Amino acid sequence: MFTLKHLINDSRGATAVEYGLLAALIAVALIAGITLIGTDLGNTMNEASNSL
């Protein structure tokens, strides 16, 4: 019975899951930002090339 109560109150796994979700959220935000910047930079370079 003591072991079961100890396992229920153990929050180490939940903390690891929270860190994993946070890392995934940061990765998604970075990918979106880099993609947006890359697209805008590509458009700017194309405009500059066409102007020349």
Side-chain angles (χ1 to χ4, degrees), residues 22-32:
L22 185 60
L25 180 64
I26 290 170
V28 168
L30 283 173
I31 291 169

Side-chain angles (χ1 to χ4, degrees), residues 2-52:
F2 174 76
T3 305
L4 182 60
K5 286 183 182 180
H6 182 64
L7 287 174
I8 291 172
N9 292 328
D10 189 8
S11 63
R12 288 179 294 177
T15 303
V17 170
E18 290 169 358
Y19 282 130
L21 289 173
L22 185 60
L25 180 64
I26 290 170
V28 168
L30 283 173
I31 291 169
I34 290 170
T35 302
L36 183 63
I37 289 171
T39 302
D40 288 344
L41 184 60
N43 290 338
T44 302
M45 292 298 170
N46 284 333
E47 288 177 17
S49 175
N50 291 336
S51 295
L52 294 174

